[in-house]
Amino acid sequence: MTPGDVLPEPLLEKIRGRAADYDRNNGFFHEDLRDLAEAGYLKLFVPADDGGLGLGLAAAAQCQRRLATAAPATALAINMHLVWTGVAHVLKARGDNSLDIVLDEAAQGEVFAFGNSEAGNDSVLFDSRTVAAPLPGGGYSFTGTKIFTSLSPSWTRLGIFGKDAAARDGAGELVHGFITRQAEGYRILDDWDTLGMRASQSATTVLDGVEVPAERIFRKLPVGPNADPLIFAIFACFETLLAAVYTGLGERALTLGVENAKRRTSFKNGGRSYAQDPDIRWKVADAAMAMDNLYPQLASVTADVDALAEHGAQWFPKLVGLKVNATETARRVVDLAIRVSGGSSYFRGSELERLYRDVLAGMFHPSDDESAHNTVANAWLGPLDG
């Protein structure tokens, strides 16, 4: 099954046609979500026997790359649902069925969102500023603030985590669980008014003692880095699917740059197309070569996840390296496309103007540039002394 089978051209064009209005109105992509759900797109990782498409990470990443060529903000938000279903798929492939409930509920139409990010928490998954307080019966109440909660208007299941500081003899324990939309004790703020990726509606979620019953607590991990398969699965799906979105964004920018270079004409050169201008041709070639370096990296890393490849300590450098390369390459390609396209791309309503704003979000997603370089340096050189 190809990405074109999953996202046929008529559906892709319909989604592309809505993107500008969502961005202009700072609105959520309700119509896109409805159409994607009806097409089975939210079930990419759900096994075929359960009514899903039964895809692996490599195929899902190519679908996300294709979706992002039409609407990056829609693709970015859908990523958060696909991260959780992808995590369940990656774990299942490794003999861990602890998140089969995610695949089961996704098969029934539930929409998952990712509620782990916290302001000021540069430990990401290895610590939390959210308090997880144990309750009788094995459940927990969670109190804290989660940021960048994509799909805020429409999720029905939100994955969260927090720290039980008293657990493990005071060393602390990180508790992971899912809340439902019907749960009491959380608030979604109306605070999403951003430079780009506006349709994702990634609002802040405040947890005011929201309770997660024991059956929806799916992991308890020690504070700090650890080798639990859940951590690998989250990083593998989060980083690769993010990379896929920004790869698609860069791909679209290159396409628009080529179209504009052919369309524009030069008065001083007798009305010849800018496609004949050596400087413009150099910029297009530079953008194309940058993208050509990115496509095989995305394909290779996701294929290795599917194949259960053993990269050991090099796995995390590969994942964060892909994410940084994708976001930075896309930003560079958008910039080149705008330079090729001329002043028309500077006006609001231009697709390239929107892509220029959307692509900037890439620097804020984990792993950020500093963290990624630290991860790679540690893998190759060992940790800093002291």
Side-chain angles (χ1 to χ4, degrees), residues 330-343:
R331 189 155 64 95
R332 177 183 170 201
V333 169
V334 172
D335 182 79
L336 286 166
I338 284 178
R339 292 173 186 272
V340 164
S341 299

Side-chain angles (χ1 to χ4, degrees), residues 194-205:
T194 51
L195 180 67
M197 293 294 187
R198 288 160 63 80
S200 70
Q201 290 299 300
S202 306
T204 298
T205 303

Side-chain angles (χ1 to χ4, degrees), residues 160-196:
I160 59 174
F161 85 126
K163 181 164 68 175
D164 178 0
R168 301 183 186 241
D169 297 323
E173 185 171 65
L174 301 174
V175 183
H176 295 256
F178 290 105
I179 64 172
T180 68
R181 193 82 183 188
Q182 294 74 32
E184 297 181 355
Y186 73 90
R187 294 178 288 124
I188 298 174
L189 304 185
D190 184 15
D191 63 350
W192 189 250
D193 189 6
T194 51
L195 180 67

Side-chain angles (χ1 to χ4, degrees), residues 53-136:
L53 299 184
L55 301 185
L57 185 59
Q62 294 307 320
C63 290
Q64 280 294 86
R65 170 185 157 191
R66 179 171 170 82
L67 178 58
T69 65
T74 292
L76 182 65
I78 291 292
N79 250 14
M80 300 306 114
H81 171 83
L82 294 179
V83 165
W84 279 124
T85 55
V87 165
H89 166 81
V90 167
L91 288 175
K92 190 178 185 70
R94 288 158 175 76
D96 182 336
N97 297 317
S98 60
L99 281 182
D100 280 3
I101 186 175
V102 171
L103 296 174
D104 293 341
E105 293 190 352
Q108 297 164 18
E110 304 296 347
V111 178
F112 286 80
F114 204 77
N116 284 358
S117 296
E118 300 168 339
N121 179 12
D122 55 2
S123 295
V124 194
L125 290 175
F126 299 140
D127 204 345
S128 178
R129 304 179 73 170
T130 296
V131 174
L135 299 170

Side-chain angles (χ1 to χ4, degrees), residues 343-366:
S344 63
S345 61
Y346 189 62
F347 283 79
R348 289 302 304 268
S350 158
E351 186 173 356
L352 272 174
E353 178 267 340
R354 175 164 46 84
L355 295 184
Y356 187 79
R357 290 182 288 105
D358 282 350
V359 78
L360 295 179
M363 70 180 74
F364 299 110
H365 306 305

